[in-house]
Amino acid sequence: MTLQEKLVFLGKVFILAGVLAALFLFSGLLGMRFSVRGHVMETPSVIGMSLEDAEEIFSKTELELVVGGRRFDKNTPSGHIISQVPGSGMGIKSNGRVMVIASLGKKSNPVPDLAGASLRASRVLSEQNRYTLGKVSEISLGGKEDHVISQFPLPESDESISNNIDVLVTRMKPQEYIMPNLVGMDLSRTLRLLRGYGFDVDQIRYRRYEGVSRGSVVRQFPQPGYRLGPDLAIDLEVAR
């Protein structure tokens, strides 16, 4: 056998080995794909079914039915399934879980009207109607403090999906004033002005100032334009 014939023979051997290796790899991948597919199934549709019927269906599969919650639904009878995850027809691996929400049926007790009631009275009224006061939000307004001005769900509604009633209540708007310019004013007039708005002077210091009338305010704290709150201390320096 000549050298050329040997090279041709070796080339054929390498090509054949490559083809066999490719076929082996392809068959392995194909087998793995079918193996994985063999452990994936379609999620059965149980929406609208009773929990008992759905559990019977799942008992014949390798899947687990889990009740993730219950809520009111006027269109679905009590004990029947409202929704499911994964949805019907979706692929799911064997031994996987399908989460469902079950219906409590149509709510028979309408939502009470809490508008105008105090927060304490609203809580009692909610409990009397088999509800619970949920999230309480606040807004600063005039009028009565701690009274309900809005609620969700709305009064007399029978479409609520839980027993919670969220309310918006009023809080008294804190009074704020702008600090006036008191410099140059007579002390007695200054005190009458501040006390008329409910403010007391915390400290008065007296100092001699040339060319300034006795009893006139020379310095003040806070400075003019500062927002005054009910607990803010006011200090004055007065000429003597």
Side-chain angles (χ1 to χ4, degrees):
M1 182 181 292
T2 64
L3 178 61
Q4 185 177 1
E5 291 175 339
K6 288 182 179 181
L7 291 175
V8 171
F9 176 76
L10 289 175
K12 290 180 178 180
V13 170
F14 283 125
I15 292 174
L16 181 60
V19 170
L20 291 175
L23 288 173
F24 177 78
L25 181 61
F26 177 75
S27 62
L29 291 174
L30 190 62
M32 184 181 298
R33 182 178 180 185
F34 279 109
S35 175
V36 172
R37 275 192 171 182
H39 290 80
V40 175
M41 58 187 67
E42 287 189 358
T43 307
S45 176
V46 293
I47 295 177
M49 291 185 182
S50 67
L51 284 173
E52 292 78 9
D53 291 343
E55 288 170 353
E56 184 178 351
I57 290 176
F58 273 78
S59 66
K60 300 174 182 177
T61 69
E62 298 179 13
L63 302 175
E64 181 182 0
L65 180 69
V66 179
V67 180
R70 299 173 186 266
R71 65 179 175 85
F72 294 102
D73 190 300
K74 66 178 183 179
N75 298 316
T76 307
S78 178
H80 286 60
I81 295 173
I82 302 172
S83 62
Q84 67 178 78
V85 177
S88 62
M90 299 290 291
I92 183 173
K93 289 186 178 180
S94 58
N95 300 319
R97 291 185 171 187
V98 176
M99 191 82 65
V100 298
I101 302 297
S103 173
L104 292 173
K106 182 178 179 180
K107 197 174 248 313
S108 59
N109 51 320
V111 178
D113 188 356
L114 306 180
S118 67
L119 191 58
R120 181 177 180 182
S122 297
R123 184 171 283 107
V124 173
L125 187 59
S126 298
E127 292 174 356
Q128 289 176 345
N129 287 271
R130 292 179 291 170
Y131 286 89
T132 302
L133 207 60
K135 182 178 179 182
V136 178
S137 303
E138 301 176 355
I139 185 172
S140 295
L141 293 173
K144 295 180 179 180
E145 184 178 14
D146 227 17
H147 280 63
V148 175
I149 61 173
S150 181
Q151 69 180 78
F152 181 82
L154 296 175
E156 303 302 319
S157 172
D158 60 357
E159 298 182 357
S160 58
I161 62 175
S162 75
N163 283 327
N164 290 338
I165 303 177
D166 299 334
V167 295
L168 177 64
V169 301
T170 58
R171 287 283 183 250
M172 292 297 290
K173 188 174 183 179
Q175 289 185 329
E176 292 185 345
Y177 298 92
I178 302 300
M179 184 69 176
N181 187 1
L182 305 175
V183 175
M185 291 180 58
D186 179 73
L187 177 61
S188 58
R189 181 187 172 194
T190 299
L191 294 178
R192 287 196 303 270
L193 174 66
L194 293 176
R195 288 168 183 166
Y197 286 100
F199 293 99
D200 290 322
V201 176
D202 185 62
Q203 187 176 11
I204 301 176
R205 294 188 296 271
Y206 293 90
R207 292 185 60 182
R208 292 185 180 276
Y209 283 91
E210 295 293 335
V212 180
S213 300
R214 183 178 181 181
S216 297
V217 177
V218 180
R219 291 182 180 177
Q220 67 181 75
F221 178 84
Q223 297 297 319
Y226 191 89
R227 290 185 178 272
L228 295 178
D231 300 323
L232 185 66
I234 298 175
D235 296 339
L236 299 174
E237 190 170 298
V238 179
R240 64 177 183 180

